[in-house]
Amino acid sequence: MKALVAVKRVVDYNVKVRVKADGSDVDIANVKMSMNPFDEIAVEEAVRLKEAGKVSEIVVVSLGVKQCEETLRTALAMGADRAVHVETDAELQPLAVAKLLKAVADKEQPSLAILGKQAIDDDANQTGQMLAALLGWGQGTFASKVELNAETATVTREVDGGLETVKLALPAVITSDLRLNEPRYVKLPNIMAAKKKPLDKLTPADLGVDIAPRLKTLKVAEPAKRSAGIKVANAAELVAKLKNEAKVL
């Protein structure tokens, strides 16, 4: 069984993001970049399924600029077998990403596609669902537990009211949530070995996919700064301010 795992290069979660002076986008010049944390969980889950004998091959794919190779090498060091880089400098929105992943899936014919539930840069939470629709596969989103056999996948997913368990016929798309697993620490020998693993290069044109943006960003702005809080002498004063000034009572 082959697993296809999508990984995205994003601004590291420890970095404080700043908006460009002209408000056109966020500034990523000289900023530390890393693998999207939810995608890292997806890679870890695929590796664990392989270690359990459920998956025979893991193919990781990333879409974007040349530096995405670094992200793919990290995934290879974690335990993936091969990598596919669809290189483009164009802005990729969720629908374009889903179409590119579908084209790669059509080429690779995996039994399972695992993605992070969302990327921490745009927080779109759309690609996995769009990919499942384009492929006509079942989907198990926000997975906190995955059990796999030859023909089905049982996914425990996080919903507002608690947990929901769904059973999917393979092939299927699964998106990972935070509690699915804890990614392993990548050791230096694995990083060195990853440099020798195959990494194929493609372009959107090779896959015959139109990646033209459907949305236009008009402006990017930082959240408004919160005003300082005040102290009240007693509960009665608090209630009065909530009623008369904040008008929430």
Side-chain angles (χ1 to χ4, degrees):
M1 182 184 297
K2 182 188 293 186
L4 182 72
V5 184
V7 296
K8 185 177 183 181
R9 178 177 181 264
V10 298
V11 176
D12 189 87
Y13 69 92
N14 284 313
V15 173
K16 177 176 172 54
V17 177
R18 289 181 169 79
V19 176
K20 289 182 178 179
D22 60 2
S24 61
D25 205 343
V26 296
D27 188 1
I28 60 172
N30 302 315
V31 169
K32 181 183 177 183
M33 309 291 284
S34 61
M35 187 188 302
N36 178 49
F38 291 103
D39 297 344
E40 194 174 8
I41 293 169
V43 175
E44 175 66 25
E45 189 63 21
V47 173
R48 292 188 184 192
L49 290 171
K50 183 181 178 183
E51 291 172 344
K54 305 292 186 179
V55 168
S56 58
E57 184 183 23
I58 302 170
V59 181
V60 288
V61 56
S62 189
L63 321 169
V65 296
K66 179 176 176 57
Q67 290 85 343
C68 289
E69 287 184 25
E70 301 169 11
T71 307
L72 287 169
R73 292 297 179 191
T74 299
L76 291 170
M78 290 177 68
D81 300 295
R82 293 192 292 113
V84 177
H85 180 200
V86 182
E87 186 172 353
T88 176
D89 292 329
E91 176 192 359
L92 292 176
Q93 295 177 352
L95 181 58
V97 172
K99 288 181 177 180
L100 289 170
L101 291 177
K102 178 190 182 297
V104 174
D106 289 341
K107 180 181 172 68
E108 293 289 342
Q109 292 295 305
S111 297
L112 189 66
I114 311 178
L115 297 75
K117 72 168 185 176
Q118 64 194 77
I120 62 171
D121 51 3
D122 59 14
D123 272 334
N125 182 19
Q126 296 174 338
T127 303
Q129 294 89 328
M130 287 179 172
L131 177 61
L134 291 172
L135 288 169
W137 294 2
Q139 57 179 295
T141 55
F142 318 131
S144 60
K145 184 179 180 182
V146 175
E147 297 175 345
L148 196 64
N149 61 39
E151 297 181 352
T152 63
T154 302
V155 179
T156 302
R157 55 189 303 268
E158 301 196 4
V159 296
D160 290 342
L163 298 175
E164 177 186 55
T165 301
V166 295
K167 190 173 185 178
L168 312 172
L170 297 180
V173 175
I174 294 174
T175 69
S176 60
D177 213 327
L178 280 174
R179 280 156 287 279
L180 181 57
N181 61 53
E182 184 175 343
R184 67 194 62 196
Y185 178 78
V186 180
K187 298 179 181 178
L188 182 59
N190 295 337
I191 296 174
M192 301 304 294
K195 295 180 180 180
K196 298 180 181 179
K197 292 184 178 181
L199 192 156
D200 298 331
K201 287 275 194 178
L202 296 170
T203 65
D206 294 334
L207 298 171
V209 176
D210 175 19
I211 59 171
R214 266 60 174 180
L215 302 173
K216 180 180 179 181
T217 301
L218 300 180
K219 183 179 179 182
V220 178
E222 293 187 9
K225 292 184 178 180
R226 296 176 62 181
S227 58
I230 61 172
K231 291 183 179 180
V232 294
N234 50 51
E237 184 182 353
L238 173 61
V239 171
K241 287 186 176 294
L242 291 174
K243 183 177 181 180
N244 300 323
E245 296 180 17
K247 299 188 182 300
V248 295
L249 294 179

